[in-house]
Amino acid sequence: MPQITDITIEGEGGQWSSPFSRKGLAQIQIDYSSNDKKYVRYYNSQGNEVNSDCPASELGSIVYDNPRTWYSIGFLGEMIYINSIYNASRYAAFSIRLDYEYGDTKYINVTVTEGGKLSVVFWETSGSLKLEEDFSQSVHATSMTNNSSITQKLELNPFLDSKCSDMVMPADNWASGATVDIPMLTYDGSEWTWKEYKDIELGKRRDFTPSRYWDNKIVVEVPPYKKAKVSYKLNYTRATQDGVIIFSNSVAEQTYDVPAAWTSVYATSYEYSVEYE
């Protein structure tokens, strides 16, 4: 086995194997994040679950298993086997480090391609919608000078300057990053409602300017030979709704209930003032 081996396997049913030397092998390491460690299991050569510090000579396999990703790394005799059952993540990668007593270290860098995606088969809310009025504000200003002899009108669409956001945060960290089709909590200019969206990345905030109530206008009359300064403040409301999302993994043929929270921040009202010069 060379010093560094880079491999790519398919997310569904991908396999790879290679001979390797156990002679002088002191330790086998895979550096998992603190969030990932709960999904990792270690087994000795007899198939019994052991701790991560199992001696290299006794380690039989390492299994990573959560509803989005399942793969195993097996050690049998002088062979290493990597198998991926499914991967619903856009990107999954890990590195296997083989440390030898005589100071040599070999790396196997593994990339697992995306297989079938998780799908949302059902969702429902729990409890009441929580609204935080005046969660934040943003101040804007503009002006117009009328150099004519007739009254002019200055029209503004205040909500065009709004910076809104929304997010769905799953309670289980394995679901964060999954891209699904799901309704989002929206404000349509008069009430809070739900709207279906495609390719929502769970756990990631979306920032946008809403288009559903752009027609709200401020109309200011500017007398002849006058300058009008218009200042307006947008008032934002944060809406939060708890609920449950039921995911389906078609490869594993299982469903998973995950508590989640929808959070949306929208500009819901405005105030303005006019000064003339």
Side-chain angles (χ1 to χ4, degrees):
M1 181 176 291
Q3 203 75 26
I4 299 176
T5 302
D6 296 316
I7 65 170
T8 299
I9 62 175
E10 295 182 1
E12 292 183 15
Q15 297 180 342
W16 178 87
S17 62
S18 173
F20 80 111
S21 176
R22 279 189 182 265
K23 183 178 180 180
L25 183 59
Q27 191 174 27
I28 301 173
Q29 293 187 65
I30 304 176
D31 294 328
Y32 289 106
S33 69
S34 57
N35 288 333
D36 284 332
K37 286 182 179 179
K38 69 176 90 172
Y39 306 123
V40 183
R41 298 290 182 269
Y42 297 83
Y43 299 89
N44 62 18
S45 54
Q46 287 75 46
N48 300 316
E49 187 169 351
V50 293
N51 295 325
S52 59
D53 57 358
C54 175
S57 59
E58 300 176 15
L59 186 62
S61 63
I62 302 172
V63 175
Y64 183 97
D65 180 12
N66 72 29
R68 289 179 69 191
T69 305
W70 195 106
Y71 62 79
S72 66
I73 307 161
F75 307 94
L76 182 62
E78 299 289 311
M79 292 291 294
I80 180 171
Y81 300 90
I82 301 176
N83 296 278
S84 175
I85 303 302
Y86 57 81
N87 177 39
S89 303
R90 287 200 306 271
Y91 179 78
F94 56 93
S95 292
I96 305 169
R97 175 173 169 167
L98 307 175
D99 292 324
Y100 289 87
E101 292 175 349
Y102 44 84
D104 190 21
T105 299
K106 296 184 183 298
Y107 298 89
I108 306 172
N109 301 317
V110 185
T111 298
V112 185
T113 63
E114 182 179 12
K117 293 184 178 180
L118 289 177
S119 59
V120 174
V121 295
F122 186 72
W123 68 281
E124 63 179 353
T125 61
S126 58
S128 58
L129 178 67
K130 304 178 184 67
L131 297 179
E132 297 176 67
E133 305 287 351
D134 297 327
F135 172 73
S136 64
Q137 292 83 31
S138 62
V139 177
H140 308 268
T142 189
S143 64
M144 174 182 172
T145 301
N146 182 4
N147 293 319
S148 70
S149 59
I150 60 174
T151 299
Q152 303 287 337
K153 287 185 178 180
L154 171 60
E155 294 188 354
L156 301 172
N157 298 88
F159 290 117
L160 285 177
D161 293 318
S162 66
K163 303 299 181 184
C164 305
S165 65
D166 62 14
M167 180 172 65
V168 185
M169 178 59 72
D172 295 341
N173 68 282
W174 63 259
S176 291
T179 301
V180 296
D181 301 339
I182 197 168
M184 300 296 285
L185 186 58
T186 64
Y187 183 74
D188 65 4
S190 59
E191 64 179 355
W192 292 92
T193 184
W194 295 91
K195 181 181 178 182
E196 292 276 351
Y197 284 92
K198 292 185 176 295
D199 298 328
I200 296 296
E201 183 175 344
L202 301 181
K204 183 178 181 180
R205 191 181 78 177
R206 298 192 310 160
D207 296 299
F208 54 89
T209 297
S211 59
R212 300 187 68 178
Y213 50 104
W214 278 2
D215 55 351
N216 284 265
K217 289 183 179 182
I218 298 173
V219 180
V220 175
E221 291 190 347
V222 185
Y225 308 110
K226 290 286 187 179
K227 180 180 181 180
K229 291 184 178 180
V230 182
S231 300
Y232 56 98
K233 179 176 69 174
L234 293 172
N235 302 309
Y236 290 80
T237 298
R238 181 167 69 177
T240 305
Q241 178 67 66
D242 293 329
V244 174
I245 304 173
I246 300 178
F247 296 94
S248 172
N249 184 320
S250 59
V251 179
E253 297 182 344
Q254 293 188 43
T255 58
Y256 309 91
D257 295 10
V258 178
W262 283 259
T263 302
S264 297
V265 178
Y266 276 75
T268 55
S269 65
Y270 63 87
E271 307 164 31
Y272 75 95
S273 61
V274 183
E275 294 180 4
Y276 293 99
E277 296 180 356

